[in-house]
Amino acid sequence: MATINPTRDTDRAERIAEVHRLAAQHLSHRAIARRLGIHHTTVGRILSTTTAPERTTDSTTERTTPAPATAPERTTPTTSGDGPAPRLLHPLDPRTIQDLNCLMDPRTGALPAALVRAIRTAADHRRAAMVATAHRLAAEERTTEPPATGRASGRARVAP
């Protein structure tokens, strides 16, 4: 279906420039689409079929407001591209993080196998205790449940 008001060439050029500018800031296609009010597949199509426009303005324009503070340096290593890093339920003590970083093999980035086994064993014991507690609480809840209201038989009453 054709639109009644087609997009002007200047609007299209501005949108393409804005998509490329936001993509240069390493935003996802969906984040760019949300900002611009377009579909994320449109963002992907624009990025794959067009080139970033040349900057025609001088990037050293005078600022009337102070420059924003620079982002703090990243202290955690980036992931290897296997997807997003798992989020922790509770923040780790910074000293613990430093200790783990010191124990990592600098060539492979892996922790020693014995340490990984010890951590997994401790975590498995903790998980087992949590599951046992959940089962115990569920069993207590079943025994203290009040009897169901209504008829004793499971048959539904049929209206005459």
Side-chain angles (χ1 to χ4, degrees):
M1 172 186 247
T3 60
I4 297 171
N5 299 323
T7 306
R8 294 189 333 243
D9 286 338
T10 56
D11 291 342
R12 185 174 291 130
E14 289 170 4
R15 181 175 57 202
I16 290 170
E18 187 68 9
V19 166
H20 280 283
R21 187 184 68 77
L22 293 171
Q25 295 175 5
H26 305 291
L27 292 177
S28 69
H29 290 194
R30 290 180 191 269
I32 295 170
R34 278 192 295 273
R35 285 193 183 184
L36 300 179
I38 58 178
H39 199 268
H40 66 92
T41 58
T42 303
V43 173
R45 191 174 61 247
I46 288 171
L47 292 173
S48 65
T49 61
T50 63
T51 58
E54 294 293 323
R55 293 191 67 118
T56 58
T57 60
D58 186 19
S59 62
T60 59
T61 58
E62 183 180 339
R63 293 187 64 93
T64 57
T65 58
T70 58
E73 185 177 329
R74 188 178 183 107
T75 57
T76 57
T78 58
T79 59
S80 63
D82 295 334
R87 291 181 43 195
L88 298 175
L89 295 177
H90 307 286
L92 284 178
D93 176 37
R95 289 179 50 204
T96 304
I97 294 171
Q98 289 175 347
D99 293 342
L100 287 172
N101 283 332
C102 288
L103 293 171
M104 290 175 64
D105 184 349
R107 290 174 295 147
T108 64
L111 289 171
L115 181 59
V116 171
R117 279 194 306 274
I119 291 171
R120 292 226 170 105
T121 301
D124 287 341
H125 286 298
R126 180 68 180 132
R127 283 187 203 98
M130 291 168 58
V131 168
T133 301
H135 285 293
R136 182 180 49 80
L137 291 174
E140 288 175 5
E141 187 175 296
R142 280 193 302 269
T143 59
T144 59
E145 244 178 46
T149 58
R151 300 177 147 265
S153 70
R155 291 181 290 167
R157 184 174 180 190
V158 179

